[in-house]
Amino acid sequence: MTQLHDPAWRGFASDNYAGVHPAVMQALSDANGGHQVAYGDDVYTERLRVWVREAFGPDAEVFPVFNGTGANVVGLQAMMQRWEAVICATSAHVLVDEGGAPERTGGFKLHPVATPDGKLTPALVDEQAWGFGDQHRAQPAVVTITQSTELGTVYTPQEVRALADHVHGKGMRMHMDGARLSNAAAALGCAFREFTADAGVDVLSLGGTKIGAMGAEAVVVLNPAAVQGLPYLRKGAMQLASKMRFVSAQLLALFESDVWLQSARHANAMAARLREAVAAIPGVEVTRAVDANAVFAVLPAEVTARLQQQFRFYTWNEMTGEVRWMASWDTTEDDIDAFAAAVAREMGAVVAR
Amino acid sequence: MTQLHDPAWRGFASDNYAGVHPAVMQALSDANGGHQVAYGDDVYTERLRVWVREAFGPDAEVFPVFNGTGANVVGLQAMMQRWEAVICATSAHVLVDEGGAPERTGGFKLHPVATPDGKLTPALVDEQAWGFGDQHRAQPAVVTITQSTELGTVYTPQEVRALADHVHGKGMRMHMDGARLSNAAAALGCAFREFTADAGVDVLSLGGTKIGAMGAEAVVVLNPAAVQGLPYLRKGAMQLASKMRFVSAQLLALFESDVWLQSARHANAMAARLREAVAAIPGVEVTRAVDANAVFAVLPAEVTARLQQQFRFYTWNEMTGEVRWMASWDTTEDDIDAFAAAVAREMGAVVAR
Amino acid sequence: MTQLHDPAWRGFASDNYAGVHPAVMQALSDANGGHQVAYGDDVYTERLRVWVREAFGPDAEVFPVFNGTGANVVGLQAMMQRWEAVICATSAHVLVDEGGAPERTGGFKLHPVATPDGKLTPALVDEQAWGFGDQHRAQPAVVTITQSTELGTVYTPQEVRALADHVHGKGMRMHMDGARLSNAAAALGCAFREFTADAGVDVLSLGGTKIGAMGAEAVVVLNPAAVQGLPYLRKGAMQLASKMRFVSAQLLALFESDVWLQSARHANAMAARLREAVAAIPGVEVTRAVDANAVFAVLPAEVTARLQQQFRFYTWNEMTGEVRWMASWDTTEDDIDAFAAAVAREMGAVVAR
Amino acid sequence: MTQLHDPAWRGFASDNYAGVHPAVMQALSDANGGHQVAYGDDVYTERLRVWVREAFGPDAEVFPVFNGTGANVVGLQAMMQRWEAVICATSAHVLVDEGGAPERTGGFKLHPVATPDGKLTPALVDEQAWGFGDQHRAQPAVVTITQSTELGTVYTPQEVRALADHVHGKGMRMHMDGARLSNAAAALGCAFREFTADAGVDVLSLGGTKIGAMGAEAVVVLNPAAVQGLPYLRKGAMQLASKMRFVSAQLLALFESDVWLQSARHANAMAARLREAVAAIPGVEVTRAVDANAVFAVLPAEVTARLQQQFRFYTWNEMTGEVRWMASWDTTEDDIDAFAAAVAREMGAVVAR
C-alpha cells in the first residue's frame, strides 16, 4: 500500500481530521521491536506513570485507553456506584456525542443542565444537585466539566476550584473531560496541574488524539480515593490495549516534551487569527468567546452552503445557522487566510445584493 | 523520548508481546499528513472496504475496531436481540478472557459447552441449543467458534461448514472469533473465505494485532442479513476510532499484500519447530495438536518455575502443570532453539535425579 | 397478624397511599383456590386478553407487570433497538422518578425536553428529534407522553393524534405512560381507545395500582408491529409474575366493570373540590390546570410546614414553594373540606399579620 | 368478575401453580383500608423488619420485592462491584431460569460449576474461584447456593457452614437463594437462622410465593457489611412496590405464625408420600434424594406422554426422560394417591408387554 490521499488538503471540521505529529510517529517507531509485556506491564507505560506523577502529583495514576468516549465512560464509572449519576452541561460531549455509551455501556444516568457558554457554575450544578437519599432519584454523585468546553470556552483555575469546592461540599466528586486539555492549558498559560489536581479535580480524561496522537487518551486519577476498580472497569469497557506500549509512547511523545504546548499554542493562535479575520467581515457574527481552538459564527445559510462546497466544516445549529470552525495543530496561516478570504468573498456576494 | 527497551528480547508468553511489522509501520507513515474525514469516511477505510469485498465476497462489510474483545462484543451484539444468547466453548476467549465485557457491556448471556479440544461440534452445540420459545431461557441465537482456537487447534473448512449448517438449521447464526485467523488460514493453506464466508460464517472478528498490527481488528459482516445497527453499536461500545485511517491502514498493510501469510506461516513453523524439539525431551508431554502457533505441554512444576525465570510464558492450568508457549511473527529459529535447549537442560537436571 | 393501622387516616401525598378497592379484593379471592398454570397461561390472564381486544381493538396485546416503572421500561425496550433513545418531557416519571431504571436496567437514553405544562407538542418534540442516521447520536426512536401528566394536565384526543402523526411522520413510535389513564379518561369523558389506539399510540402503560389495585399494571401493545420480544424482555426485566392470575384478576376487576370510571371520576371530583376551596383562600395560588386528580399550589413555606404536621403531602419544588395535593379513589368530601379548612386557617394566621 | 376456574384442579408442575394460603388472604384484607405511606414506610413493612431481626438477628435487614428473580438479582448486585461475578451450580435458577436477567439487567457474569446433586462444595467452588486480581477475569466475589436446591436436595447447616467458611476464607461472600427456604427448614427441623445467619450466609432471598403467598419475596441482609446501596438497587431493578404494605403483610402472614412451617411440612410430606408410592412401581426409577418437596424420576417417554394428558408436570431432561413432580402446600393425600395410581396403571401397561 502506498499513500492514497492528498496530504496537502486540510479543513476546519475537526481537530480529529488532522494526522499524527512527527514526534509521535518517531516515538511509535522507537517503541517498536522485540517483545514487551502486554496490557500495560511494559516500560513505556511505566515511564508514562512516572510522567503523570511528575505532572499531576505523587498520587496520580494513569490508565491509557483508546479514545475519548472510552476515557470518559471508564473514568466516570470508576467514580460511581451503579445507582449514581453524573451532572453535566447540555453541551457536554458525554451527553450529546457518545451515542448513548454512558447510559448503555456505562449504565449510568446523566442529569443535564443548560448553560450559556458550556461552563457549569455552582448555581447551575445546584439545578440538578438534589434528591440525595431519595431512592427514586439516580443519586447525583459526580459533576463533569469539559476543558476546553465544546463551545470553545475555557475555565480559569479559579472557576474550577470554586466549582470543585462546591461539588465536594455536597459530597460529590469532580471529573474533567480534557479531550482538549492542551488547548486549555496553552490558553491559560498554566501547567496542567494548576487547573486539575491543584484545583480539586478528582479524575481527568487526558486527551492526546486531538493534539497530534494517532489514537491515545488516558484516564488520569488525581484523587485515588475517588475511584474503585479501574483496571477491571477498563477491561470490561473494552478499552484495554494489548500492545499498550504503543498507546503510552504516543502520550509520552506529546507530554514529556513540549510538543503538546507548541501544538496547542499554534492551534489556538490559528483560531484567534481566524476569529480576527472573520469578525471584520460585514454580516459575520462571531458568537462565542474564542478561548481555545474553536470559532463559532453565524452566517447566512446560503453562504455556509457555498463555503462547504470548498471547505469542510460543520453546521453546529441548523436553526440559528451557527457554524463551527476548528483549528488543528497542523493548520497553517495560509489555510486561515485562504479560508477567511473565501468567507469574505461569499459574504460580499450576499451583502452586495 | 528515545527507545527505552531492549528490542532483542523476546519470549513465548503471547503473540501480543510482539511489536509491529515493518510493513505496518510504513503504512502508518504513508497514511499520515494532511486531513482525512474522521470516523471512517477516509480513503484508507474505503480501500479496506474494497479489499473486504474482494476477499470475502461482494456483500461483505467491514467495521474496524480497536481490539479483539471489542470486535467480538460488537459483532455478537449486532447479531442478537437483547434477549438472545451465545453458545460458546468453555475455553472461548469471549467467555474466559474478556473480563465480563460480553455480559456487562454487551448485555448478553453466554451458554458454555465443554469441549475436548476447544472445538465445537453439532452435538456439542446441542447441549445448549434448546429452550427455543421459552421465555425463561435466554434464547440461544448465535454460536461462536474461535479459529484458530484458544487451544491451538484449527477447524477445517468442512468442520466449519457442518457446524454452520447445523446452526442455521436451528435458526441460529454463526460467528467466528478470528483473532488468529491468519494462523488458521496459513495452517489450512486456504484463502480466508474458504472457511468463513463460503463455509457459512455470518460474522467474523478479523484479527490484525496478533499477526503484526499495532492495534487493529475488525468486525467483518459476511451475511448482512444477520446483523443490525452495527455503526451505532460500534459507537455505543466505544470502539469507533476518530482517526480511523490509521486503523484501516494497518489492516491494509497486512491483508492487501501477503504480509499476513508470511507472518502466519512463520509463526506456525516456529511453533512446529518448538513442538518437535520439546517432544523429543524425556519427561515433556505435548498435550494438544499444534495446528497453528501455540504449543501446550505438561512439565514438572519446578522446571516450569526455573524456565520462567529465564523466559516469559504462562502456566495454562495450575492443577495439571500444563503450560502454553506461543510463537509470534517475529520469533526466530534461534529463539526456539535456545528455548528448547533450556527446556532440555532443566528437564535433564530433573530426570537425572 | 391483625390490622396494625388506622384505616380512617388518609392524606394527600399520593394516590399510592390509598388501599385496594373492595371489588379488587373480591376478585383476588375469587381467583384463589386450586391450581392455575403459572406465568400467564391461566384463565384470568386469558380473560384479560379478551378485554384488552374489546377495549383497544382486535390486535391489542397485554402483558401484566408489577409496577409502573416496570411497565414503562419493558414497553419502551420492546419498541427500541439497543442504540435508540426516547424523547420525553423533563417532568416525565420515566426521567425523574425511576431511579435510573431506564438507563441502567433498560439500557436506553432519554432525550428530555422542557415543557410549560408537562405536555409535549410537535414543536417541542422537534427540539430533540434530530440526528437521524448520525452514529454519534443515540437515535431518537420513541416519544413517550404521560396521560394524565405528572403536572395534573390531560392531553385531548386531538392533541395525542397530532403528536402521534408528527412522531410517525418522522419514523418514530409513540408511547403513553398511563399510570393515571383512568383519571384522564374520566376527565375527557372518553373511552380509553379514543385517545390511545385510535389516536395513534403504539404502546401503552396501563395503570391499575393508583386507581384501586393492590399492585397491577400492564404493557398494552396497540400496534404489534411496533414491538419485538416482549415476553422475553418482561422476564429479563424481572417483571414476570409466577402467580399471574392474581395480577390479571386485579386489572379485570377494575376494567371489565366501571370500577375504574367511578373511582377516577370520584378522585377527579375531589381534586376539583379542593381546587375550588383553596383558590378562594387569599394568598394561595393554584399554579396549574386541574384536569385530573392533582392540585398544585404555591403557599408560604411556613404554612406548608405547619400543614405538613397535620396532613401528609409533598413539596413539589423547594425553590418556588409549590406543593402537590393528590386526590385518590378513596378521598372523601370530608377529607377535602377538613383540609381546605386547615389551609384557610393557617393562611389566615399568616395573612392576618 | 366471578370465579372463572375450577378450584378443585391441581397438578404437579410447580408450587407456583398453587394459590394463596387463607391466612395470607386474610392478612391482605386486614392491611387494607385508609392510607399508608408508600414505598416501604408503612407499619406492615416496619413490623416485618421487627420479625426479621427476631428471626435472623439484630443486624438483619429486609427489602421486600415482587418475585424470586428480583430477589436474587437485587441481592446479588448489592453484594458486588460492577466487575465482580457469581459462582453458582449449573442447575441454579439464577443461571438457567431467569431469562438472562442476571447478565442483562444485573450486569454481572455467572461462573457455573457442574454438581452431582445441585449442591456446591468447597472443592466445587474452587473450580471457579481463581484469577483473583487478574484484570481479564470477571472477579469471583460471591458464591450463591439454593436451599432447597433445584434438584430437591437440602444443605445441612454443617454443609452451609463449611462452604461459607471456605468462601469467606477466599475473600468472597455467601448468598442463598431461598425460594423454597421453608421447605428446607421443615426438612431440617431447624429455625431459618441455623442454616443462614448462623451458618455464615451474608444475604438471603427469602421466598414467600411458593409456600402460599400471592407474590412476595424479600432480600434479607444478614451481614450488612456485605452489601451496598440496596434501596437504590431495588428501585433501579424495578422491584420497589408502591403499596408495599401488601407485600409485607403477605410475608408477615406466613412467617410471624407457623403458616410457613405447616405448609412446608405438608408439602414435603406429600412429596415423600409420592416418592414412596412410585418407587414401588416396577420400571420407575426415583433419581434423586427427596429431601424437600420435589420428586425426580425416570419414566419411559410414552408413559410420561400419557400421564401428561391427565396431569400437569414437566419433563426435566428430554434426553434422559427424567421428570419432575412438585408437591405444594395445597396438595392433598388424595391428589398423591390418584397420581401414583395413574403412574402404576400406565407403567403396568408398558411392563406387561
Side-chain angles (χ1 to χ4, degrees):
Chain A
M1 196 190 70
T2 51
Q3 193 163 57
L4 302 176
H5 73 294
D6 172 10
W9 180 77
R10 282 183 297 277
F12 301 90
S14 171
D15 25 14
N16 279 332
Y17 282 38
V20 179
H21 193 284
V24 172
M25 289 301 289
Q26 182 59 47
L28 291 172
S29 180
D30 289 343
N32 200 17
H35 281 201
Q36 280 284 289
V37 180
Y39 301 114
D41 286 338
D42 62 90
V43 296
Y44 296 91
T45 305
E46 188 50 41
R47 173 80 154 249
L48 182 66
R49 292 187 189 106
V50 172
W51 173 76
V52 159
R53 289 192 293 268
E54 290 169 359
F56 294 98
D59 293 333
E61 299 170 3
V62 61
F63 297 85
V65 296
F66 295 120
N67 63 356
T69 297
N72 284 339
V73 172
V74 171
L76 288 168
Q77 269 197 322
M79 301 174 77
M80 285 194 287
Q81 297 288 352
R82 285 187 195 82
W83 55 87
E84 294 182 332
V86 175
I87 296 175
C88 67
T90 51
S91 52
H93 193 272
V94 75
L95 182 73
V96 296
D97 282 316
E98 302 191 349
E103 293 87 354
R104 178 153 58 86
T105 298
F108 56 85
K109 191 181 187 83
L110 296 163
H111 292 308
V113 184
T115 72
D117 57 1
K119 292 163 66 175
L120 289 175
T121 63
L124 289 170
V125 163
D126 284 353
E127 293 187 16
Q128 290 281 12
W130 51 268
F132 298 103
D134 173 0
Q135 65 186 335
H136 293 84
R137 178 156 171 86
Q139 295 289 293
V142 178
V143 173
T144 184
I145 61 174
T146 310
Q147 174 78 319
S148 60
T149 74
E150 295 79 2
L151 301 182
T153 50
V154 171
Y155 289 86
T156 65
Q158 294 73 27
E159 288 172 331
V160 176
R161 176 84 262 169
L163 195 51
D165 286 348
H166 184 75
V167 163
H168 292 147
K170 300 224 162 187
M172 300 189 290
R173 296 169 288 284
M174 186 81 182
H175 177 268
M176 180 180 280
D177 175 354
R180 294 189 181 95
L181 200 76
S182 296
N183 300 92
L188 293 167
C190 287
F192 291 144
R193 70 179 292 167
E194 293 178 58
F195 59 94
T196 58
D198 292 354
V201 173
D202 295 301
V203 177
L204 168 72
S205 293
L206 172 64
T209 310
K210 287 183 161 70
I211 204 65
M214 184 178 284
E217 311 276 318
V219 179
V220 179
V221 177
L222 305 171
N223 172 14
V227 299
Q228 284 190 91
L230 244 162
Y232 302 112
L233 291 171
R234 179 175 57 176
K235 173 64 196 179
M238 315 193 298
Q239 289 285 322
L240 179 65
S242 55
K243 297 183 176 177
M244 197 183 292
R245 56 169 144 165
F246 296 105
V247 180
S248 299
Q250 294 179 58
L251 296 170
L252 284 170
L254 291 172
F255 296 118
E256 271 204 330
S257 69
D258 66 351
V259 169
W260 71 270
L261 180 58
Q262 298 305 333
S263 296
R265 274 188 190 151
H266 177 77
N268 291 1
M270 291 304 100
R273 186 183 187 95
L274 179 57
R275 177 192 47 69
E276 199 168 343
V278 296
I281 301 171
V284 174
E285 183 198 357
V286 174
T287 48
R288 301 172 190 279
V290 180
D291 293 347
N293 62 323
V295 179
F296 288 83
V298 170
L299 298 183
E302 60 180 295
V303 172
T304 296
R306 280 204 303 275
L307 285 168
Q308 285 177 331
Q309 287 169 0
Q310 308 159 59
F311 300 89
R312 188 105 188 186
F313 64 89
Y314 288 110
T315 297
W316 189 254
N317 186 325
E318 293 285 353
M319 303 210 189
T320 61
E322 190 176 25
V323 299
R324 185 187 76 164
W325 299 315
M326 297 300 301
S328 304
W329 66 270
D330 65 348
T331 303
T332 65
E333 296 192 354
D334 285 352
D335 291 335
I336 296 295
D337 296 347
F339 181 64
V343 175
R345 190 169 57 241
E346 298 295 351
M347 282 302 300
V350 171
V351 171
R353 283 188 308 207
Chain B
M1 196 190 72
T2 51
Q3 193 162 57
L4 303 175
H5 73 293
D6 171 10
W9 180 77
R10 283 183 296 275
F12 302 91
S14 171
D15 25 15
N16 279 333
Y17 282 39
V20 179
H21 193 283
V24 171
M25 288 300 289
Q26 182 59 47
L28 291 172
S29 180
D30 289 343
N32 200 14
H35 281 201
Q36 280 285 287
V37 180
Y39 301 114
D41 285 337
D42 62 90
V43 296
Y44 296 90
T45 304
E46 188 50 41
R47 174 76 155 252
L48 182 66
R49 293 188 188 105
V50 172
W51 172 75
V52 160
R53 288 193 293 269
E54 289 170 0
F56 293 99
D59 294 333
E61 298 170 3
V62 62
F63 298 85
V65 295
F66 294 120
N67 64 356
T69 297
N72 284 338
V73 172
V74 171
L76 288 167
Q77 269 196 321
M79 302 174 77
M80 285 195 286
Q81 297 286 354
R82 284 188 196 82
W83 55 88
E84 294 183 332
V86 175
I87 297 174
C88 67
T90 52
S91 52
H93 192 272
V94 75
L95 182 72
V96 297
D97 283 315
E98 301 190 350
E103 294 86 354
R104 178 153 59 85
T105 297
F108 57 84
K109 191 180 187 84
L110 297 162
H111 292 307
V113 184
T115 72
D117 56 1
K119 291 163 66 175
L120 290 175
T121 63
L124 289 170
V125 163
D126 285 353
E127 292 186 17
Q128 289 282 13
W130 52 267
F132 298 103
D134 174 1
Q135 64 186 336
H136 292 84
R137 180 158 170 84
Q139 295 289 293
V142 178
V143 173
T144 184
I145 61 175
T146 309
Q147 174 79 322
S148 60
T149 74
E150 294 80 0
L151 301 182
T153 50
V154 171
Y155 289 87
T156 66
Q158 294 73 30
E159 287 171 331
V160 176
R161 176 85 261 170
L163 195 52
D165 286 348
H166 184 75
V167 163
H168 291 147
K170 298 223 162 188
M172 299 188 291
R173 296 170 286 284
M174 187 81 181
H175 177 269
M176 179 180 280
D177 175 354
R180 294 189 181 95
L181 200 77
S182 296
N183 301 92
L188 293 167
C190 286
F192 290 143
R193 71 178 293 168
E194 293 179 58
F195 60 94
T196 59
D198 293 353
V201 173
D202 294 301
V203 178
L204 169 71
S205 293
L206 172 64
T209 311
K210 287 183 162 71
I211 204 64
M214 183 178 285
E217 312 275 316
V219 179
V220 179
V221 177
L222 305 171
N223 172 15
V227 298
Q228 284 189 92
L230 244 162
Y232 302 112
L233 291 170
R234 178 175 57 175
K235 172 65 196 176
M238 315 194 297
Q239 289 285 321
L240 178 66
S242 56
K243 298 184 176 176
M244 197 184 290
R245 55 170 146 167
F246 297 105
V247 181
S248 298
Q250 294 179 57
L251 296 171
L252 284 170
L254 292 172
F255 295 119
E256 271 203 331
S257 71
D258 67 350
V259 169
W260 71 270
L261 181 58
Q262 298 305 333
S263 296
R265 272 189 190 150
H266 177 77
N268 292 1
M270 292 304 99
R273 186 182 186 95
L274 179 58
R275 177 192 46 70
E276 199 167 344
V278 296
I281 300 171
V284 174
E285 183 199 357
V286 174
T287 48
R288 300 173 191 277
V290 179
D291 293 347
N293 63 323
V295 179
F296 289 83
V298 170
L299 298 184
E302 59 180 294
V303 172
T304 295
R306 281 204 302 275
L307 285 167
Q308 285 177 330
Q309 289 169 359
Q310 309 160 60
F311 301 89
R312 189 104 188 189
F313 63 89
Y314 287 110
T315 298
W316 189 253
N317 186 324
E318 294 285 353
M319 302 211 190
T320 61
E322 189 176 26
V323 299
R324 185 188 76 164
W325 299 314
M326 298 300 300
S328 304
W329 66 269
D330 65 349
T331 303
T332 66
E333 296 193 355
D334 284 353
D335 291 335
I336 296 294
D337 296 347
F339 181 64
V343 176
R345 189 168 58 241
E346 298 295 350
M347 283 302 300
V350 171
V351 172
R353 283 189 307 208
Chain C
M1 196 191 69
T2 52
Q3 193 162 57
L4 302 176
H5 74 294
D6 171 11
W9 180 77
R10 281 183 297 276
F12 302 90
S14 171
D15 26 13
N16 278 333
Y17 281 39
V20 179
H21 193 283
V24 172
M25 289 301 289
Q26 183 59 46
L28 290 172
S29 180
D30 290 343
N32 200 15
H35 281 201
Q36 281 284 289
V37 180
Y39 300 112
D41 286 337
D42 62 90
V43 297
Y44 296 90
T45 304
E46 187 51 40
R47 174 77 155 250
L48 181 65
R49 291 187 190 107
V50 172
W51 173 76
V52 160
R53 289 192 292 268
E54 290 170 0
F56 293 97
D59 293 334
E61 298 171 3
V62 62
F63 297 85
V65 296
F66 294 121
N67 63 356
T69 297
N72 285 339
V73 172
V74 171
L76 288 168
Q77 270 197 321
M79 302 174 77
M80 284 194 289
Q81 297 288 353
R82 284 187 196 83
W83 56 88
E84 294 182 333
V86 175
I87 296 174
C88 67
T90 52
S91 52
H93 193 273
V94 75
L95 182 73
V96 296
D97 282 316
E98 302 191 349
E103 292 87 355
R104 178 155 57 86
T105 298
F108 55 85
K109 191 180 188 82
L110 297 162
H111 292 307
V113 183
T115 72
D117 56 1
K119 292 163 66 175
L120 289 176
T121 62
L124 289 170
V125 163
D126 285 353
E127 293 187 15
Q128 289 281 14
W130 51 268
F132 298 102
D134 173 1
Q135 65 186 336
H136 293 85
R137 179 158 170 85
Q139 294 289 293
V142 178
V143 172
T144 184
I145 61 175
T146 310
Q147 174 79 317
S148 57
T149 73
E150 294 80 1
L151 301 182
T153 51
V154 171
Y155 289 86
T156 66
Q158 294 72 28
E159 287 172 329
V160 176
R161 175 84 263 171
L163 195 51
D165 286 348
H166 184 76
V167 164
H168 292 146
K170 299 224 162 188
M172 299 188 291
R173 296 169 287 283
M174 185 81 182
H175 177 268
M176 181 179 278
D177 175 354
R180 295 189 181 96
L181 201 77
S182 296
N183 299 92
L188 293 168
C190 287
F192 291 142
R193 71 178 293 168
E194 293 178 58
F195 60 94
T196 58
D198 293 352
V201 173
D202 294 301
V203 177
L204 169 72
S205 292
L206 173 64
T209 310
K210 287 183 162 70
I211 203 65
M214 184 177 286
E217 312 276 318
V219 178
V220 179
V221 177
L222 305 171
N223 171 15
V227 299
Q228 284 189 91
L230 244 161
Y232 302 112
L233 290 171
R234 179 175 57 176
K235 173 64 196 178
M238 316 194 298
Q239 289 285 322
L240 179 67
S242 55
K243 297 183 176 178
M244 197 184 291
R245 55 169 145 165
F246 297 105
V247 180
S248 298
Q250 294 179 57
L251 296 171
L252 284 170
L254 291 172
F255 295 119
E256 271 203 330
S257 70
D258 66 353
V259 169
W260 71 271
L261 180 59
Q262 299 305 332
S263 297
R265 274 188 189 151
H266 177 78
N268 292 0
M270 292 303 98
R273 186 183 186 95
L274 178 57
R275 178 191 46 71
E276 199 168 344
V278 296
I281 300 171
V284 175
E285 183 199 357
V286 174
T287 47
R288 300 172 190 279
V290 180
D291 292 348
N293 64 323
V295 179
F296 288 83
V298 170
L299 297 183
E302 60 179 295
V303 172
T304 296
R306 280 205 301 276
L307 285 168
Q308 285 177 332
Q309 288 169 0
Q310 310 160 58
F311 300 89
R312 188 105 187 186
F313 63 91
Y314 288 110
T315 298
W316 190 253
N317 186 326
E318 293 285 351
M319 302 210 189
T320 61
E322 190 176 26
V323 299
R324 186 188 76 164
W325 299 315
M326 297 299 303
S328 304
W329 67 269
D330 66 349
T331 302
T332 66
E333 296 191 353
D334 285 353
D335 292 336
I336 296 295
D337 297 347
F339 182 64
V343 176
R345 189 168 56 241
E346 299 295 350
M347 283 301 301
V350 171
V351 172
R353 284 190 303 208
Chain D
M1 196 192 70
T2 52
Q3 192 161 59
L4 302 176
H5 74 292
D6 172 11
W9 180 77
R10 283 182 296 276
F12 301 92
S14 171
D15 25 15
N16 279 333
Y17 281 39
V20 179
H21 193 283
V24 172
M25 288 301 288
Q26 183 59 48
L28 291 172
S29 180
D30 290 344
N32 200 15
H35 281 201
Q36 281 285 289
V37 181
Y39 301 113
D41 285 336
D42 63 90
V43 296
Y44 296 91
T45 305
E46 188 50 41
R47 174 77 155 251
L48 182 66
R49 293 187 188 106
V50 172
W51 173 75
V52 160
R53 289 192 293 267
E54 290 169 0
F56 293 98
D59 293 333
E61 299 171 2
V62 62
F63 297 85
V65 295
F66 294 121
N67 64 355
T69 297
N72 285 339
V73 172
V74 171
L76 288 167
Q77 269 197 321
M79 302 174 77
M80 285 194 287
Q81 297 287 353
R82 286 187 195 83
W83 55 88
E84 295 182 331
V86 175
I87 297 174
C88 67
T90 52
S91 52
H93 192 272
V94 76
L95 182 72
V96 296
D97 283 316
E98 302 191 349
E103 293 87 353
R104 179 153 58 84
T105 297
F108 56 85
K109 191 180 187 82
L110 297 162
H111 292 307
V113 183
T115 72
D117 56 0
K119 292 163 66 174
L120 289 175
T121 62
L124 288 170
V125 163
D126 285 353
E127 293 187 14
Q128 289 281 13
W130 52 269
F132 298 102
D134 174 1
Q135 64 186 336
H136 293 84
R137 179 157 171 85
Q139 294 289 294
V142 178
V143 173
T144 184
I145 61 174
T146 309
Q147 174 80 317
S148 59
T149 73
E150 295 80 0
L151 301 182
T153 51
V154 171
Y155 289 86
T156 65
Q158 295 72 29
E159 288 171 330
V160 176
R161 177 84 262 170
L163 195 51
D165 286 348
H166 183 75
V167 163
H168 292 146
K170 298 223 162 188
M172 299 188 292
R173 297 170 285 284
M174 186 80 182
H175 177 267
M176 180 180 279
D177 176 354
R180 294 189 182 95
L181 199 78
S182 296
N183 300 92
L188 293 167
C190 286
F192 291 143
R193 71 178 293 167
E194 294 179 58
F195 60 95
T196 58
D198 294 352
V201 173
D202 294 300
V203 177
L204 169 71
S205 292
L206 172 64
T209 311
K210 286 183 162 71
I211 204 65
M214 184 178 285
E217 312 277 316
V219 179
V220 179
V221 177
L222 305 171
N223 172 15
V227 298
Q228 284 190 93
L230 243 162
Y232 302 111
L233 290 170
R234 178 174 58 175
K235 172 65 196 178
M238 315 193 300
Q239 289 284 321
L240 178 67
S242 55
K243 298 184 176 178
M244 198 184 290
R245 56 170 145 167
F246 297 105
V247 180
S248 299
Q250 294 179 56
L251 296 170
L252 285 169
L254 292 172
F255 296 119
E256 271 204 331
S257 71
D258 67 352
V259 170
W260 71 270
L261 180 58
Q262 298 305 332
S263 296
R265 273 189 189 149
H266 177 78
N268 292 0
M270 292 303 99
R273 186 183 185 95
L274 179 57
R275 177 193 45 71
E276 199 168 342
V278 297
I281 300 170
V284 175
E285 182 199 358
V286 174
T287 47
R288 301 173 189 278
V290 180
D291 293 346
N293 63 324
V295 180
F296 288 83
V298 169
L299 298 183
E302 60 179 295
V303 172
T304 296
R306 280 204 303 275
L307 284 168
Q308 285 178 332
Q309 289 169 359
Q310 309 159 59
F311 300 89
R312 189 103 187 190
F313 64 90
Y314 288 110
T315 299
W316 189 253
N317 186 325
E318 294 285 352
M319 301 210 190
T320 61
E322 190 176 25
V323 300
R324 185 188 76 164
W325 299 315
M326 297 300 300
S328 304
W329 67 268
D330 66 349
T331 303
T332 66
E333 295 191 355
D334 285 353
D335 291 336
I336 296 295
D337 297 346
F339 181 64
V343 176
R345 190 168 58 242
E346 298 295 350
M347 282 302 298
V350 171
V351 172
R353 284 188 307 207

